[in-house]
Amino acid sequence: MTGRYYLRSFGCQMNAHDAERIRALLEAEGLERAEAPDDADVLVYNTCTVRKSADDRLAGHLGTAARLKRQDPARVVLVTGCLPQAEQAGFFARFPFVDGALGPQNLHRLPELLHEAVEPAGVSPAGFFEDGPRLSGSLSARRERPFQAWVQVMSGCTNYCSYCIVPFVRGPERSRPAGELAAEVEALAADGVREVTLLGQNVNAYGIDLGSGGDAPAPDFAGLLRRLDTIEGLERVRFMTSHPKDLGDDLIAAVAELRTVCEHVHLPAQAGSDRVLRRMRRGYTAEQYLERVHALRAAVPGVSITTDLIAGFPGETDVDFGDTLALVREAAFDAAFTFVYSPRVGTAAADLPDQVPPDVRRERVESLIELTQQQALAAHRTWVGRRAEVLVEGASRDGVQHRGRIRQNVTVNVSGAVEPGAIVMVDITAATSTTLRGSI
Ligand code: SAH
Ligand code: SF4
Ligand code: F3S
């Protein structure tokens, strides 16, 4: 096949990694990358549906795709990822110009989907949505940068938090064998990768589904980190996401002890009221959450702890929300992603009778944003006057400087002569709630 493809991806890092595989698959078919939809013969949208705002954003992009398809009906429009997986037939009813769609567990069938889509018009659009044990984890990926890579240690989620669509669209937790992962990371390191980010919706549950094999115990995540730590050439290992209910002392010890493992844990709290946490089915109390935060801070000097928070979950009262503010104050987060609760069709919470009015949800998220930004600024200011290790990733947004990240995952704008991929020591001179500034 000849021609050009345009790919736009939304959502979490798992989806961004899927996008790298989509590129690899399309390029293996002979298609070349286009930077704008107008220049492409094949348009691919890799979607997220975790909140309604994600759906709304996509609708705008699909409007462009529909217009381009009207101009040139030979153009192919494909949609991948979590939204068509959630809606299936309903998706094609809403977007009849889409030529084909598949869900995240069927990425390996993208070439097939593409060939069916370029068949003469008149056939109904193809869709691949079945749940299957086939992991896309082992599909090859077209990396954005030569020195950084994502590695998917597991797919899916079996937690069924009551607000969350992810288990419905990504299937149950399935781990990849530890040997396969070690071999993949070794190959990446040999290919020049210095930093890997291990991906899973709940990496602390890694290995549980594999069970023990004969005499060998089931692999676990801390053990996997120890195995990867010995790989030559590998400098940094990041991982996400950690579920608080499964964050064990063994993982804390691994973060504290291992050379490669970065001092950053993303630990979504979601809420601080035990009543709300129970209704969210999170499996921990505020006290248990904070105990894990304190254990991390005690074991790992200078560790950065970041979180996700949801404002306005059904039934959340002012008192409950006050408990969330109290938890945030005590945890003293380095950064937080704050979300307005968004009902998702098919999830348990969507049917709860006591939905919080949208303006109250908004108001609450505003106070969370204010508090967590103050915390981030305070945390970042502690870096000013100190020296930090930075992996340089590329040019900064202003184009004048370089941009990179410290081990604690804060972005730094760096001045000085250096090439992307270098790990350098940087004197930090200034801080905002989102970034640091410094010079080599
Ligand atoms: N597996 C991760 C994150 C998955 S989704 C975890 O367990 O934390 C990323 C974040 O989106 C979640 O942490 C949650 O804060 C948010 N989120 C998920 N569903 C949501 C919903 N229906 N409304 C608002 N925020 C939601
Ligand atoms: Fe969603 Fe909960 Fe699974 Fe995270 S752990 S993906 S929030 S169901
Ligand atoms: Fe979105 Fe799917 Fe990730 S719903 S957050 S892209 S798992």
Side-chain angles (χ1 to χ4, degrees):
M1 197 175 283
T2 57
R4 312 221 296 154
Y5 75 90
Y6 169 79
L7 171 65
R8 183 71 199 245
S9 186
F10 306 87
C12 63
Q13 293 190 325
M14 197 69 86
N15 234 29
H17 186 31
D18 284 346
E20 295 185 328
R21 296 170 179 137
I22 292 169
R23 286 193 192 285
L25 289 165
L26 295 174
E27 288 172 20
E29 292 299 305
L31 295 175
E32 283 172 45
R33 181 173 179 157
E35 295 303 330
D38 310 56
D39 300 334
D41 310 289
V42 177
L43 306 177
V44 184
Y45 296 88
N46 188 38
T47 60
C48 172
T49 187
V50 77
R51 286 171 290 277
K52 183 171 179 293
S53 52
D55 294 3
D56 295 345
R57 214 146 60 92
L58 177 77
H61 287 273
L62 286 185
T64 306
R67 178 176 56 78
L68 291 171
K69 179 126 183 131
R70 276 197 301 275
Q71 285 170 8
D72 178 4
R75 268 200 178 102
V76 170
V77 179
L78 303 179
V79 180
T80 58
C82 297
L83 178 63
Q85 180 70 42
E87 297 186 349
Q88 303 197 12
F91 180 80
F92 291 116
R94 282 212 295 146
F95 302 106
F97 58 89
V98 168
D99 298 295
L102 53 73
Q105 297 170 80
N106 290 270
L107 268 192
H108 57 286
R109 298 184 70 180
L110 185 65
E112 210 183 315
L113 189 74
L114 180 64
H115 290 286
E116 284 196 25
V118 293
E119 296 283 297
V123 279
S124 58
F128 301 139
F129 301 115
E130 63 272 26
D131 177 50
R134 164 85 194 228
L135 284 179
S136 57
S138 48
L139 289 175
S140 62
R142 171 85 164 65
R143 297 201 301 275
E144 281 302 311
R145 299 195 184 104
F147 48 86
Q148 279 176 325
W150 280 307
V151 174
Q152 185 180 350
V153 302
M154 61 200 297
S155 63
C157 181
T158 315
N159 286 311
Y160 289 96
C161 301
S162 61
Y163 50 81
C164 185
I165 194 77
V166 173
F168 298 92
V169 292
R170 295 255 167 186
E173 277 164 7
R174 293 188 183 107
S175 304
R176 293 173 63 198
E180 182 182 309
L181 291 168
E184 182 170 323
V185 177
E186 267 162 28
L188 288 167
D191 194 37
V193 168
R194 309 191 78 185
E195 179 182 278
V196 295
T197 302
L198 308 177
L199 295 179
Q201 296 297 347
N202 173 11
V203 292
N204 310 135
Y206 169 76
I208 294 172
D209 58 302
L210 292 174
S212 51
D215 300 337
D220 62 44
F221 192 63
L224 179 67
L225 290 176
R226 287 187 191 277
R227 188 158 172 184
L228 301 183
D229 192 56
T230 59
I231 293 175
E232 204 176 317
L234 191 63
E235 300 291 341
R236 289 178 166 193
V237 175
R238 300 185 181 282
F239 58 89
M240 73 188 320
T241 298
S242 289
H243 196 303
K245 78 175 164 57
D246 298 318
L247 178 73
D249 291 337
D250 56 342
L251 180 61
I252 295 180
V255 178
E257 292 162 22
L258 298 179
R259 171 188 67 93
T260 54
V261 177
C262 288
E263 295 73 22
H264 169 228
V265 178
H266 186 62
L267 197 63
Q270 314 298 1
S273 149
D274 290 344
R275 202 179 64 88
V276 171
L277 286 168
R278 200 173 334 109
R279 288 165 53 111
M280 287 179 162
R281 300 196 198 132
R282 289 292 289 177
Y284 52 84
T285 62
E287 190 185 327
Q288 285 165 338
Y289 180 89
L290 289 167
E291 187 278 324
R292 293 287 78 190
V293 167
H294 295 311
L296 261 170
R297 294 214 193 275
V300 189
V303 69
S304 157
I305 302 178
T306 57
T307 202
D308 293 346
L309 299 162
I310 298 176
F313 182 80
E316 183 185 79
T317 64
D318 284 335
V319 174
D320 291 323
F321 182 66
D323 290 345
T324 297
L325 292 174
L327 176 137
V328 171
R329 277 191 204 100
E330 182 166 344
F333 292 114
D334 292 81
F337 295 104
T338 48
F339 304 111
V340 170
Y341 168 71
S342 172
R344 304 281 70 199
V345 173
T347 62
D351 298 326
L352 292 176
D354 42 3
Q355 302 285 324
V356 174
D359 54 324
V360 177
R361 289 184 224 166
R362 263 272 119 227
E363 222 170 86
R364 287 180 186 165
V365 92
E366 292 299 334
S367 14
L368 279 178
I369 292 170
E370 198 183 311
L371 175 58
T372 55
Q373 280 185 348
Q374 283 169 8
Q375 292 188 329
L377 181 61
H380 294 169
R381 277 191 177 145
T382 65
W383 282 101
V384 177
R386 288 160 64 198
R387 192 166 277 192
E389 182 201 284
V390 175
L391 170 59
V392 178
E393 295 178 349
S396 65
R397 291 231 171 89
D398 60 13
V400 181
Q401 305 176 83
H402 311 284
R403 184 171 42 85
R405 274 180 297 157
I406 64 174
R407 290 176 63 91
Q408 289 76 2
N409 207 36
V410 187
T411 298
V412 197
N413 292 320
V414 181
S415 56
V418 69
E419 288 298 311
I423 293 179
V424 289
M425 296 308 293
V426 171
D427 289 318
I428 305 298
T429 53
T432 70
S433 64
T434 52
T435 53
L436 302 174
R437 185 154 13 103
S439 56
I440 295 167

